[in-house]
Amino acid sequence: MLKDFTIDGPESLDLDDTIREVKRLDSGWEVVVGVTNTTKLIKIGMSSDVKARERVETRYHSRGHFSMLPPYKERLLSLLQGKKRSVLCVRVRLDEQLNLSENPKIWFDTFKNKCRLSYPDIPGIIDDPSSRGHSTIKLCADLSLSLLEKRRQAGAFVVYDTNAGWVTNEEGFLVRLARREDTIGYIIIQELMILANSAMATHCALNDIPVLYRNHTAKAHAPERNDLLESLASIGGSTPARLDTLRSKLHMVLNKATVEPVLRGHYGLNLPAYLWGTSPIRRYADMVNQRQISAWVKAKKDEVPPEYPYSTEDLVELGEHITTWKNDQKDRTRAHFKTQAKKQAEHALSSKVLFDLPGKEFDRAVKLAAAMAEPPEGFSEGCLGRLSAARVSALALYRLLIETAPGDSWAPLREATLGHLEGNPHLATSLLNVATSIQGWKEVQYV
């Protein structure tokens, strides 16, 4: 059986979590996860700690990443193959129903990475019984898929479209993986790390260890959980426009997650307790929590009361700082992508190349044009050409019919859109589904 290995992106340098062991018990499972120990190398108040607090987390972009920690310390902490490292270990034992069969165990240990795997490696290992680590990776996949399904059945927001690479992250929001073949490896790591993080949160709550919990709540106007789950369950084979609409809907009904020393539960995961703890190289909240847990482990070993490095007041301040930074960062990212999309749509309108645009870019161009008092020059001709070629999505049809300004300027294009629907009545259902998602129209009843 394969032990002490990592699964991460092919180019990743900040390897901060490891699967130490996954095994079947007579009546359940045992999982041991390891997390690199930052407490010895990054001390509170030293320059690298101060900068990490300011940066909050490692930021990734198309050309690389901006590390939270200095590169040389990142290398010394990263669980690179063949290198000895100190790790915090979390052991979780589950019964046959995948419930905790005993309280989690946490300790520190010495670790050497015996095998570094990347996400694209995992499908081939699972499919080839002769490959190294096949039985272990297959076991990890089976357990992870079972954990995922248990969370889904319990009401967590779970989507994994292995064909398109769509997944829900730990906040319950839809994201798309860069490579479709990464999906099963992503599932293994996400599910086992969610398990470890929830186990650490449970351990801290049971032992009154003051930490930063990751809380997530729904807004007051959010629909029933089952309604949201039905929407998520319906995305299989959906168009990118449908997925984007659903993603926007989730953002509108779920509050932004917070980091705070108060336990409120996690709505997206449907867990009573959750924290960030498995990525201390990449997230400052994980480093803070590791320091608090380390103080408890040391005190338990020495049989003395723990002396925590952070008071409750310190944690409140840190939680507010991290939550504000995260929210500001998300707002800036969202604004950047909106600006880029608008520029692309404006270019499409001005260049009069609507007929040849990819579907998603055409949808953006239609959204931008529909907000204008009259169609831009050349826009109607481009749309008419796409209508004739049956290359207009249900989302674009909806915008042309419903969102364009009233009056004579848009009337010819609206009439052409209605004519297209008359000739293709099967599209009406898709258009109504879009209207239901965007405008909240009542669900169509079929008799």
Side-chain angles (χ1 to χ4, degrees):
M1 296 290 284
L2 186 64
K3 295 182 180 181
D4 292 339
F5 61 96
T6 56
I7 305 175
D8 219 305
E11 293 84 29
S12 296
L13 298 175
D14 46 1
L15 311 182
D16 43 18
D17 53 61
T18 174
I19 301 172
R20 301 216 62 184
E21 188 171 23
V22 173
K23 65 181 180 181
R24 253 313 202 159
L25 304 176
D26 291 338
S27 58
W29 298 81
E30 179 174 290
V31 177
V32 181
V33 165
V35 182
T36 189
N37 179 12
T38 60
T39 61
K40 294 182 178 180
L41 193 60
I42 313 294
K43 301 292 186 181
I44 295 176
M46 66 192 311
S47 60
S48 56
D49 174 66
V50 173
K51 288 181 180 178
R53 186 187 186 281
E54 293 172 355
R55 294 175 178 176
V56 176
E57 65 182 24
T58 295
R59 283 177 282 166
Y60 298 89
H61 50 80
S62 58
R63 296 183 299 277
H65 68 280
F66 183 64
S67 296
M68 183 183 77
L69 294 175
Y72 77 96
K73 290 199 172 180
E74 188 178 81
R75 287 193 298 272
L76 290 173
L77 290 167
S78 185
L79 304 178
L80 302 173
Q81 187 165 348
K83 301 294 185 180
K84 283 188 176 181
R85 297 287 188 259
S86 172
V87 292
L88 179 149
C89 298
V90 182
R91 188 189 73 189
V92 184
R93 286 182 175 168
L94 305 170
D95 61 22
E96 291 291 351
Q97 288 72 45
L98 302 181
N99 300 312
L100 284 176
S101 58
E102 61 180 62
N103 291 338
K105 181 180 178 182
I106 297 180
W107 72 99
F108 286 89
D109 197 4
T110 301
F111 163 83
K112 181 187 287 188
N113 187 351
K114 296 177 182 176
C115 182
R116 177 179 177 175
L117 301 173
S118 63
Y119 294 133
D121 297 330
I122 304 305
I125 295 173
I126 292 173
D127 292 340
D128 182 6
S130 65
S131 62
R132 181 192 177 193
H134 166 78
S135 58
T136 299
I137 300 302
K138 181 70 165 58
L139 202 63
C140 289
D142 291 344
L143 173 58
S144 299
L145 289 170
S146 296
L147 287 168
L148 181 150
E149 184 58 28
K150 182 178 186 292
R151 292 200 300 114
R152 189 203 307 273
Q153 293 294 332
F157 295 159
V158 173
V159 170
Y160 287 97
D161 185 337
T162 54
N163 292 321
W166 281 96
V167 299
T168 40
N169 63 15
E170 65 172 333
E171 308 291 84
F173 293 133
L174 284 163
V175 296
R176 195 168 195 171
L177 301 180
R179 290 179 296 268
R180 188 172 58 187
E181 63 271 20
D182 289 0
T183 308
I184 186 60
Y186 181 96
I187 291 173
I188 290 172
I189 291 303
Q190 176 154 294
E191 291 304 313
L192 295 186
M193 296 310 144
I194 286 175
L195 179 67
N197 283 329
S198 62
M200 280 190 276
T202 299
H203 177 86
C204 290
L206 290 173
N207 291 281
D208 204 23
I209 304 172
V211 291
L212 291 171
Y213 292 101
R214 184 65 169 166
N215 295 319
H216 187 218
T217 58
K219 294 181 179 178
H221 64 265
E224 292 293 328
R225 180 184 288 271
N226 285 342
D227 293 339
L228 290 174
L229 292 173
E230 286 177 8
S231 296
L232 287 170
S234 68
I235 76 159
S238 293
T239 64
R242 163 70 174 151
L243 292 167
D244 281 346
T245 300
L246 180 55
R247 179 163 52 184
S248 298
K249 181 179 180 180
L250 289 174
H251 279 280
M252 286 189 288
V253 301
L254 299 178
N255 289 314
K256 294 176 180 178
T258 59
V259 178
E260 53 188 332
V262 178
L263 182 58
R264 304 185 194 278
H266 199 292
Y267 189 86
L269 295 174
N270 199 25
L271 291 172
Y274 193 72
L275 58 70
W276 275 343
T278 55
S279 296
I281 297 179
R282 293 175 278 181
R283 288 188 305 229
Y284 195 70
D286 302 56
M287 191 184 298
V288 169
N289 286 336
Q290 190 175 90
R291 288 167 174 164
Q292 298 290 89
I293 293 171
S294 175
W296 183 88
V297 171
K298 184 177 185 302
K300 193 76 173 175
K301 182 180 179 181
D302 296 341
E303 298 182 344
V304 296
E307 294 183 7
Y308 296 111
Y310 299 102
S311 67
T312 301
E313 291 74 19
D314 294 332
L315 293 175
V316 168
E317 182 183 350
L318 281 167
E320 290 175 350
H321 165 66
I322 293 168
T323 299
T324 300
W325 186 95
K326 289 280 292 180
N327 291 340
D328 289 347
Q329 188 67 24
K330 286 180 180 178
D331 290 342
R332 284 193 295 269
T333 300
R334 194 173 297 118
H336 169 75
F337 282 117
K338 281 185 177 179
T339 301
Q340 292 298 105
K342 185 177 180 181
K343 286 181 179 179
Q344 291 175 357
E346 288 173 341
H347 171 73
L349 291 174
S350 62
S351 60
K352 304 177 186 177
V353 293
L354 286 173
F355 185 83
D356 296 320
L357 281 180
K360 197 166 187 177
E361 292 183 28
F362 176 74
D363 289 344
R364 291 194 188 110
V366 172
K367 181 179 181 180
L368 184 66
M372 300 178 182
E374 58 185 32
E377 182 182 355
F379 180 81
S380 294
E381 292 80 358
C383 283
L384 290 171
R386 291 185 75 110
L387 284 169
S388 298
R391 295 182 57 225
V392 180
S393 69
L395 179 62
L397 291 172
Y398 164 81
R399 296 200 190 285
L400 291 171
L401 279 176
I402 307 299
E403 295 189 347
T404 50
D408 295 338
S409 297
W410 283 98
L413 194 49
R414 278 197 293 270
E415 291 174 5
T417 304
L418 283 171
H420 180 69
L421 285 170
E422 288 178 10
N424 300 274
H426 61 283
L427 295 176
T429 302
S430 298
L431 188 147
L432 287 170
N433 286 335
V434 170
T436 299
S437 298
I438 295 177
Q439 293 282 10
W441 292 8
K442 290 184 177 180
E443 295 284 347
V444 181
Q445 301 294 320
Y446 299 96
V447 293

